[in-house]
Amino acid sequence: MDIAIIGAGIGGLTTALALKQNGQKVTIYESADEIKSVGAGILLASNAMQVFKKLGVHKKIENAGRIISNIKTTDAQLNTLYSVELSSFEKKYGANSVAIHRADLHKILADEIGFENIKLSKRLLKIDKGNGFKLNFDDETSVKCEALIGADGIKSIVRNQLFGTGTLRDTKQKCWRGVSEFDWTSKYNHEAFESWGKGKRFGFVKISEKNVYWYAVVNESFMKDNVTITELFQEFHPEIVKIISETPEEKIIFNDIKDLQPITKWQDGNVCLIGDAAHATTPNMGQGACQAVEDAYVIGQLFAQGKTVKEIFALYEKLRIEKAHYIVNTSWKFGKVAHYKNSFAVWLRNTLVKLTPQSAIEKQLDKVFSIEYDNIK
């Protein structure tokens, strides 16, 4: 069967790898003229790394990135609100969490798939549905396929043309992401941080010995003419300000934070949606790419069972939709709580977070990290 995947992001690449390892003929069509990452760094949580372990690429990812053993949420001065050791999850699931540059992850996956299976500069314009699918690209070429997987992001052409659904929700928050040289301190090894202020937050994690990936998020009400990121975070810990100020401007990416209002149909016959095309989430739980990787895992496992494509895509939706929507909705709520501006609300939030039992935090993480699904071994 000829399977076409639209989009060579993390979800599309992982799905192609899972299908290739199950003996399927897969071709990825990517609009860009090169395989490149959108973003800077990424923290691959246990659930994603469990999948990559099953696909046999986890060691390459660990070697290219940095194993993370602790996650901390702090106030603006890096005073800990809560801290989670990941060792129990590492033992339970046999997989580490890893921080890595997105470009390195993309290269690892693309190399495993083989560049002969990835067609670049193929921007999809129109899909004709008949006996299979005819994909029409902006270079005036077209191809036919028997099955189609839309991995083309939050503004998915596959979703828009074949499903006619998808309402984007604006969080009213602005985000910067960057990678900074970080050889001036030996601290913060194997730890991921997120610091909460008043209507602002800042996260950072080392992705190599001398590089740190960071993100800064503010309510859009803070956006004034010509205000700089450094000025916006002036009240945060001096080392946070230093991380921002020492990052070259050309290595900083800026965007609005949006998600996809949950949709209830991800598949229709021989076509399905995965990743952001199906369930784009805000980044507040660090699960956007991880959920796309889980999609890939489930689809790959179902193809190994000898079902028809129609049966596979229907069962994939049934198995994945509850967890994906839980992530989307919970992440949306987290983003609101993390951006309280009122001083009393901030104090109350921080106090309650400090008082949250460790068992409650670990229970929630366990729900996110588990990749056990009915009908899948």
Side-chain angles (χ1 to χ4, degrees):
M1 172 169 285
D2 287 327
I3 303 171
I5 297 175
I6 305 300
I10 293 170
L13 291 170
T14 307
T15 303
L17 180 57
L19 293 176
K20 180 185 176 184
Q21 292 186 357
N22 278 301
Q24 301 298 323
K25 183 180 178 183
V26 187
T27 305
I28 301 176
Y29 298 93
E30 167 58 39
S31 61
D33 58 5
E34 62 179 322
I35 297 293
K36 58 183 179 181
S37 60
V38 177
I42 186 172
L43 177 58
L44 295 169
S46 173
N47 51 327
M49 288 303 297
Q50 289 173 63
V51 174
F52 288 132
K53 185 176 182 178
K54 291 176 184 292
L55 294 176
V57 295
H58 65 296
K59 285 298 181 184
K60 290 182 179 180
I61 293 171
E62 287 180 359
N63 292 337
R66 202 165 181 85
I67 292 172
I68 302 303
S69 301
N70 183 278
I71 298 174
K72 280 188 171 70
T73 297
T74 75
D75 64 17
Q77 294 302 315
L78 294 178
N79 299 307
T80 301
L81 300 178
Y82 75 80
S83 175
V84 180
E85 289 290 339
L86 299 177
S87 56
S88 62
F89 299 108
E90 292 165 1
K91 292 176 183 176
K92 181 175 182 177
Y93 295 118
N96 299 304
S97 296
V98 177
I100 186 172
H101 199 292
R102 282 178 179 262
D104 294 331
L105 177 60
H106 277 75
K107 185 177 186 308
I108 290 168
L109 295 175
D111 285 345
E112 289 290 322
I113 295 160
F115 282 90
E116 68 275 11
N117 299 309
I118 304 171
K119 308 302 180 185
L120 301 174
S121 300
K122 292 292 181 180
R123 187 167 71 88
L124 184 63
L125 291 182
K126 187 173 182 291
I127 306 167
D128 295 319
K129 187 176 179 182
N131 184 19
F133 303 92
K134 182 182 178 183
L135 309 177
N136 303 285
F137 301 101
D138 72 344
D139 61 359
E140 299 184 350
T141 63
S142 63
V143 297
K144 292 183 178 180
C145 63
E146 297 168 90
L148 177 62
I149 297 175
D152 50 340
I154 191 170
K155 297 179 180 178
S156 170
I157 294 172
V158 177
R159 186 188 69 238
N160 291 339
Q161 291 194 16
L162 298 184
F163 294 83
T165 58
T167 300
L168 304 190
R169 299 189 297 186
D170 190 349
T171 64
K172 307 296 183 184
Q173 295 171 0
K174 308 294 184 181
C175 179
W176 297 264
R177 295 178 175 91
V179 174
S180 176
E181 291 287 335
F182 196 72
D183 58 0
W184 42 267
T185 180
S186 60
K187 293 187 292 185
Y188 313 127
N189 289 308
H190 308 293
E191 296 177 300
F193 290 81
E194 182 166 277
S195 301
W196 293 354
K198 294 181 179 180
K200 308 173 186 179
R201 62 196 153 108
F202 186 91
F204 66 99
V205 61
K206 275 189 173 182
I207 57 175
S208 69
E209 184 60 37
K210 292 187 177 182
N211 286 289
V212 62
Y213 159 59
W214 60 265
Y215 58 89
V217 186
V218 302
N219 293 346
E220 69 176 13
S221 58
F222 286 104
M223 300 297 291
K224 309 296 182 183
D225 290 342
N226 300 318
V227 66
T228 67
I229 319 172
T230 305
E231 290 169 344
L232 285 169
F233 284 84
Q234 202 62 47
E235 73 273 23
F236 277 62
H237 191 281
E239 290 189 348
I240 288 177
V241 177
K242 187 170 184 177
I243 291 172
I244 297 170
S245 64
E246 294 191 358
T247 305
E249 190 172 334
E250 65 272 13
K251 291 189 177 182
I252 298 176
I253 300 162
F254 173 77
N255 63 300
D256 299 331
I257 295 183
K258 298 180 180 181
D259 76 358
L260 180 67
Q261 185 172 310
I263 58 176
T264 57
K265 191 169 182 62
W266 297 355
Q267 51 75 39
D268 183 18
N270 280 22
V271 58
C272 79
L273 306 170
I274 70 163
D276 283 356
H279 47 76
T281 182
T282 53
N284 307 314
M285 294 175 70
Q287 278 290 309
C290 296
Q291 289 303 299
V293 170
E294 278 199 49
D295 292 344
Y297 166 67
V298 170
I299 289 173
Q301 292 295 101
L302 292 175
F303 262 94
Q305 296 179 8
K307 295 177 169 60
T308 67
V309 173
K310 185 176 181 180
E311 290 171 335
I312 289 168
F313 288 168
L315 188 51
Y316 149 71
E317 177 190 275
K318 181 180 179 181
L319 292 174
R320 284 285 298 130
I321 199 165
E322 181 180 351
K323 181 176 181 181
H325 284 178
Y326 164 77
I327 296 293
V328 172
N329 293 326
T330 305
S331 183
W332 181 273
K333 293 172 186 174
F334 276 5
K336 298 302 180 184
V337 172
H339 279 256
Y340 287 159
K341 288 180 66 177
N342 177 273
S343 295
F344 176 74
V346 169
W347 172 85
L348 182 62
R349 175 197 67 193
N350 292 359
T351 300
L352 292 175
V353 168
K354 285 181 182 180
L355 295 174
T356 303
Q358 191 76 7
S359 59
I361 296 171
E362 291 179 357
K363 183 179 180 180
Q364 184 178 53
L365 286 176
D366 198 47
K367 183 175 182 177
V368 174
F369 292 165
S370 173
I371 61 168
E372 292 184 7
Y373 292 93
D374 294 337
N375 302 98
I376 291 180
K377 294 180 180 179

